[in-house]
């Protein structure tokens, strides 16, 4: 095997010489034969090394048989040992069997042969170790860069890749660190090279709390790829708007194709592939801009699957550009508003975030009473009995029987400290007066008291929507 692998490199190079026509023809024929033999041996070695591990080990063991016999014959010739003894000693020396001593020979000729046999044994053992090590390394690489199925349950699946993915993963890492979710692995499915995704995520998330992220290469609209990430057993699936080229952003056909692919992904996720899943996962779909009903392929997919008898998960839309446009407009018209949005949206150790929280002591309380129970956070919403979230509720709105509320706080520990540890008992000096928050809300001007002059610098596809939102305010 080794000779075949090295044949092309060890074949002698013919020296240039002057010869007559007959000698030249004979020399060329012999040279061609040597090249053919070398090429055949090289090809045979490549075939052998392409076999599975057990096949390569079997070939090495077979090659050991003639090697042992030839070495035993040489040792028998110089030592006059019997065949059985010569073969046994040779086998022990070649394989470095413990207890086999090659330095105890009495004659110098048998000592030289014994050392040569040990030297050959070093090479055969090195070849065996190299084959096994290479097989182990290739299996490790296959696991790291492979695209095998993920056998997780109740995990989070994210499909597609865009600029919002890394910030989303950072928010998930912060939420996991604070104990507010994402304790199961995050599985990412995108049409990118797996090795590139792993390196990018490792670099971008180096300074955030640890979180387990598994990547797989594939398309979100392909049912086989969705099955590879076990999407139907996930707790939630986030469908991101995939990255597209700059030219395609203004191509209506390209945009329709992207939306159709997202709709196909939603249709697959809300369809029953087999009878093992009792409930479809919750689905969050990112929409870069609001679409008319007739152009919204995802809504059509939802309407088709709503007729299913299967228990479906919740579905929510995140409208990126249009919602950001409203935040821009509000920040322009309300000086200081941008500070509020920065604190809520930038995930840092010192920033505040929205937290959904539930506790039995909050159940049945009116908003004006429940709000006063928080000294380290601000309650800004509650869940009604119909399951709908009410933001900026009235004083007499009542928290549902599960005690579900929405709170802005630095971290989840602040909320726990307010409710669970203090049992709702807050020092009087820290309690706002009843109804004071709603009173402040009522005093916020709906319309500006005077006209405002605004200079807009630059123009892009979001500018027109931003102007409309400014005029609406």
């Amino acid at each position: 095997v080794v000779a075949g692998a090295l044949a092309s490199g060890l074949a002698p190079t013919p020296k240039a010489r002057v010869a007559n026509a007959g000698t030249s023809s004979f020399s060329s024929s012999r040279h061609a034969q040597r090249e053919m033999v070398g090429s055949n041996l090289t090809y045979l070695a490549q075939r052998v090394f392409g076999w599975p591990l057990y096949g390569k080990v079997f070939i090495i063991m077979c090659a050991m048989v003639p090697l042992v016999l030839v070495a035993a014959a040489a040792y028998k010739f110089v030592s006059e040992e019997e065949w059985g003894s010569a073969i046994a000693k040779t086998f022990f020396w070649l394989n470095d069997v413990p207890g086999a001593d090659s330095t105890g020979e009495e004659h110098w000729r048998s000592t030289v042969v014994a050392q040569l046999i040990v030297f050959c044994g070093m090479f055969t053992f090195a070849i065996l170790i190299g084959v096994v090590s290479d097989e182990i390394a290739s299996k490790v690489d296959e696991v790291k860069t492979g695209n095998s199925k993920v056998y997780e349950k109740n995990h989070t699946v994210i499909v597609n890749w865009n600029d919002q993915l890394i910030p989303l993963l950072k928010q998930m890492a912060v939420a996991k660190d604070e104990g507010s979710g994402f304790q199961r692995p995050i599985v990412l499915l995108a049409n990118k090279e797996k090795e590139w995704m792993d390196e990018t995520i490792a670099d971008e998330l180096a300074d955030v709390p640890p979180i387990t992220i598994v990547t797989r290469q594939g398309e979100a609209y392909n049912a086989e790829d969705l099955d590879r990430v076990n999407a139907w057993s996930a707790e939630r699936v986030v469908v991101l708007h995939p990255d597209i080229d700059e030219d395609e952003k203004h191509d209506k056909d390209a945009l329709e194709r992207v939306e159709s692919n997202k709709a196909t992904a939603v249709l697959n996720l809300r369809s029953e592939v087999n009878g093992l899943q009792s409930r479809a996962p919750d689905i969050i779909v990112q929409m870069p801009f609001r679409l008319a009903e007739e152009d919204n392929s995802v809504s059509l997919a939802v309407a088709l699957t709503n007729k299913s008898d299967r228990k479906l998960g919740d579905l929510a839309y995140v409208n990126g550009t249009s919602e950001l446009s409203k935040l821009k407009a509000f920040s322009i018209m309300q000086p200081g508003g941008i500070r509020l949005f920065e604190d809520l949206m930038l995930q840092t150790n010192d920033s505040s975030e929205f937290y959904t929280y539930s506790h039995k002591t909050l159940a049945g309380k009116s908003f004006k009473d429940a709000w006063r129970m928080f000294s380290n956070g601000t309650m800004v919403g509650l869940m009604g009995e119909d399951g709908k979230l009410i933001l900026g509720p009235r004083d007499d709105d009542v928290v549902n029987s599960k005690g579900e509320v929405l709170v802005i706080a630095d971290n989840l520990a602040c909320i726990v400290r307010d409710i669970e540890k203090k049992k709702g008992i807050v020092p009087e000096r820290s309690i706002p007066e009843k109804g004071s928050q709603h009173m402040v809300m009522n005093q916020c001007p709906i319309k500006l008291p005077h006209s405002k002059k605004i200079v807009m610098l630059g123009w892009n596809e979001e500018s027109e929507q931003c102007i409309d939102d400014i005029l609406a305010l």
Side-chain angles (χ1 to χ4, degrees), residues 163 244-252 254-255 289 461:
D163 294 339
I244 56 177
D245 296 335
E246 193 65 31
D247 296 338
E248 294 180 335
K249 291 182 179 180
H250 306 286
D251 186 350
K252 183 178 179 180
L255 294 175
F289 39 79
E461 64 273 7

Side-chain angles (χ1 to χ4, degrees), residues 139-154:
K139 291 298 182 183
V140 172
D141 290 339
E142 183 179 340
V143 171
K144 291 173 62 178
T145 61
N147 225 22
S148 57
K149 182 173 179 177
V150 176
Y151 291 95
E152 294 287 348
K153 291 184 180 298
N154 298 322

Side-chain angles (χ1 to χ4, degrees), residues 84-281:
S85 177
I87 292 175
K89 285 187 176 182
T90 301
F91 179 79
F92 295 155
W93 291 337
L94 279 173
N95 294 281
D96 195 21
V97 176
D101 186 10
S102 61
T103 62
E105 298 298 317
E106 297 180 355
H107 199 277
W108 69 270
R109 291 185 300 175
S110 60
T111 300
V112 170
V113 172
Q115 299 307 313
L116 290 175
I117 293 173
V118 172
F119 188 70
C120 290
M122 292 170 57
F123 276 96
T124 56
F125 185 71
I127 292 173
L128 181 61
I129 292 298
V131 169
V132 175
S133 300
D134 180 70
E135 189 73 15
I136 294 175
S138 63
K139 291 298 182 183
V140 172
D141 290 339
E142 183 179 340
V143 171
K144 291 173 62 178
T145 61
N147 225 22
S148 57
K149 182 173 179 177
V150 176
Y151 291 95
E152 294 287 348
K153 291 184 180 298
N154 298 322
H155 55 299
T156 299
V157 174
I158 303 176
V159 298
N160 298 326
W161 184 292
N162 62 22
D163 294 339
Q164 287 80 45
L165 173 65
I166 297 300
L168 175 62
L169 293 176
K170 290 181 178 180
Q171 293 181 41
M172 290 179 173
V174 172
K176 179 187 176 184
D177 185 59
E178 295 179 351
S180 57
F182 306 105
Q183 302 303 314
R184 304 290 298 173
I186 310 297
V187 182
L188 172 63
L189 176 67
N191 189 20
K192 303 283 185 181
E193 292 290 338
K194 184 181 187 303
E195 188 174 358
W196 179 85
M197 289 191 288
D198 291 336
E199 292 178 357
T200 302
I201 291 173
D203 292 340
E204 295 289 344
L205 271 62
D207 300 328
V208 302
I211 186 171
T212 303
I213 300 174
V214 181
T215 60
R216 289 294 183 266
Q217 183 176 1
E219 297 287 0
Y221 56 81
N222 190 322
E224 292 182 358
D225 291 336
L226 290 174
D227 182 60
R228 185 176 293 116
V229 296
N230 213 11
W232 285 275
S233 297
E235 180 179 355
R236 67 185 66 86
V237 178
V238 181
V239 182
L240 296 180
H241 188 80
D243 272 337
I244 56 177
D245 296 335
E246 193 65 31
D247 296 338
E248 294 180 335
K249 291 182 179 180
H250 306 286
D251 186 350
K252 183 178 179 180
D253 293 336
L255 294 175
E256 289 180 353
R257 183 170 59 253
V258 170
E259 292 301 319
S260 297
N261 291 340
K262 288 162 56 178
T264 305
V266 172
L267 186 65
N268 285 330
L269 290 168
R270 290 169 62 91
S271 301
E272 188 173 5
V273 175
N274 54 52
L276 298 179
Q277 298 88 9
S278 59
R279 180 182 182 275

